[in-house]
Amino acid sequence: MTHSPAPAHASGTSRSTSATIPPNILRYLAPVAEGCGVDLQPELTRVGLDETVMRSAALRVSYRQGSAVIRRAVELTGDAHLGLRVGAAQHLTAWGLLGFAQMAADTLRDAIETGVRFQNLSGTMVVWSAGPENPGYVLRADLPDPALDPPVAVFLAEEAFVSVVTLTRLSVGDDFAPQSVEFAFPAPRDTRPFTELFRCPVRFAAAESRLVFPTAWARRPMPGRDPVTYAAVMELLEEQLASRRDQQDLLEVLEVSIAQSLPDVPSFLEQARRHASSERTLRRRLAECGTTYEAVVDGVRRERVEQLLRRPELTLRDVARQAGFSDMRALRRAVHRWHGATPAQLRGEPGNYQGRART
């Protein structure tokens, strides 16, 4: 069973703009960072995730929000491999209803394939795929956005595989060890934490990030297997997935509509008419997605600005006009809010601020 990353829209929007991810990683990241003496609440608040919002079961975050908090956590803790800690801190309830379905699956392979099938409900920030290969059963983790800066990419790969191994050991036995683990990022100076966690050969600078399950382990029955419970939970997951698809479709349609209209922005009333909906209904549907029309517009504009700033032939006035800002001052305010820098600094013009990663 394989799943491929969703392609970016030709218009320039991508799934990173929409708030569709359960914030499971951030909920584990915060206490791990606190254990390192770092309070992440200011960073969470900065991207719109205050304490009340974080406690909401309906909360969804975007890749941009998640990446911004992760990047800052790595900076503040000074731990380049913070993802190892966050993955190891998770427990059997980390993936919610999906985790319960995996525990009730027949074999470990069935549990893995259930996780891949419903990965959009798990809060993962990588794209999973899995399947049998010689010499074992392979689980792959791809980045949803190749433009993610290295610290975030390393964190996500580490967290992904360590959480899988941690939850597998909690489910089927602490003696579980992968056959091998490969990471696409370069080898760190100290590889001992990796070999201690995985208890198997670990390779770096590989062509892709993948974890190989020994065939015998993939076939092993799950201790909590229960066909009746598994079938019942699968029905609930299918319903959730259908609802999630509806939300994602709505957000993507709005993003494309806005991106194609820039520098003009369709009014909310116009969008409601395009969707054969009332303003009240469209506003309610966006609230169910955990966002607002203003936030969707802001996300599309942000992505457009970042694309335009990569084009050196454009002046900042051109960027402001094409992204739909009233003037350069409005552009500067927006870029400072997004990045804490000026447009010129973000562009990396000579003599200006360079190297700040995009959020």
Side-chain angles (χ1 to χ4, degrees):
M1 180 182 299
T2 58
H3 291 252
S4 300
H9 291 296
S11 59
T13 61
S14 76
R15 61 185 297 183
S16 66
T17 304
S18 304
T20 58
I21 309 167
N24 298 349
I25 293 176
L26 301 187
R27 287 187 172 126
Y28 280 92
L29 175 60
V32 169
E34 186 176 358
C36 298
V38 172
D39 180 9
L40 279 185
Q41 192 52 57
E43 301 305 319
L44 291 167
T45 301
R46 187 175 67 83
V47 297
L49 303 172
D50 60 31
E51 292 186 37
T52 301
V53 170
M54 284 293 287
R55 287 195 295 267
S56 170
L59 173 64
R60 299 293 181 267
V61 301
S62 68
Y63 282 95
R64 289 190 180 281
Q65 287 174 307
S67 298
V69 175
I70 290 169
R71 180 181 305 109
R72 190 60 177 149
V74 172
E75 292 173 355
L76 292 173
T77 61
D79 186 349
H81 298 286
L82 191 62
L84 298 179
R85 294 175 182 260
V86 174
Q90 298 182 33
H91 46 72
L92 289 173
T93 59
W95 294 352
L97 195 61
L98 173 57
F100 190 61
Q102 290 176 292
M103 288 187 285
D106 188 39
T107 65
L108 180 56
R109 173 174 172 170
D110 292 326
I112 297 167
E113 293 185 347
T114 299
V116 171
R117 178 178 178 183
F118 295 101
Q119 59 184 288
N120 289 340
L121 302 178
S122 70
T124 183
M125 289 178 67
V126 299
V127 180
W128 292 110
S129 60
E133 291 184 21
N134 186 26
Y137 189 81
V138 177
L139 180 64
R140 289 183 174 81
D142 296 309
L143 294 175
D145 181 359
L148 284 174
D149 55 294
V152 175
V154 168
F155 176 98
L156 292 180
E158 292 176 347
E159 185 278 333
F161 282 158
V162 175
S163 65
V164 166
V165 170
T166 298
L167 298 184
T168 299
R169 286 173 179 158
L170 290 172
S171 299
V172 301
D174 188 60
D175 56 334
F176 167 75
Q179 185 165 304
S180 63
V181 176
E182 298 178 1
F183 288 107
F185 57 80
R189 292 182 180 179
D190 185 4
T191 62
R192 286 176 299 176
F194 292 84
T195 53
E196 290 172 359
L197 274 168
F198 292 112
R199 307 174 199 163
C200 72
V202 180
R203 179 186 168 205
F204 299 92
E208 57 186 357
S209 294
R210 61 182 219 154
L211 184 152
V212 181
F213 288 81
T215 302
W217 274 101
R219 294 172 177 168
R220 181 168 295 202
M222 294 293 288
R225 63 189 182 280
D226 186 314
V228 175
T229 299
Y230 181 75
V233 178
M234 289 290 281
E235 288 185 14
L236 296 175
L237 290 174
E238 290 287 3
E239 292 174 3
Q240 288 187 9
L241 193 60
S243 174
R244 182 67 54 79
R245 288 195 191 101
D246 290 342
Q247 292 179 0
Q248 184 66 41
D249 288 347
L250 171 63
L251 293 172
E252 289 183 351
V253 166
L254 287 174
E255 288 170 1
V256 170
S257 174
I258 295 163
Q260 291 176 340
S261 299
L262 286 177
D264 298 321
V265 176
S267 69
F268 189 71
L269 175 60
E270 185 177 350
Q271 293 286 19
R273 287 172 177 168
R274 291 180 183 181
H275 287 80
S277 168
S278 68
E279 291 181 81
R280 180 177 179 181
T281 299
L282 182 55
R283 190 171 290 109
R284 175 182 55 77
R285 291 185 64 194
L286 285 170
E288 291 172 351
C289 297
T291 190
T292 64
Y293 184 59
E294 292 73 20
V296 176
V297 170
D298 192 59
V300 174
R301 271 183 167 158
R302 175 176 179 165
E303 192 145 352
R304 179 61 58 83
V305 166
E306 291 170 356
Q307 291 172 342
L308 294 173
L309 286 175
R310 299 188 191 108
R311 297 172 55 185
E313 76 276 12
L314 297 178
T315 67
L316 293 182
R317 184 170 282 103
D318 293 332
V319 173
R321 182 177 63 254
Q322 292 186 34
F325 288 98
S326 57
D327 52 38
M328 289 179 60
R329 288 180 298 176
L331 171 66
R332 291 193 185 97
R333 286 194 298 269
V335 171
H336 187 271
R337 172 166 52 85
W338 295 329
H339 297 279
T342 67
Q345 288 170 339
L346 192 66
R347 175 175 261 178
E349 292 180 351
N352 288 306
Y353 172 101
Q354 297 186 45
R356 176 168 297 194
R358 294 188 306 276
T359 59

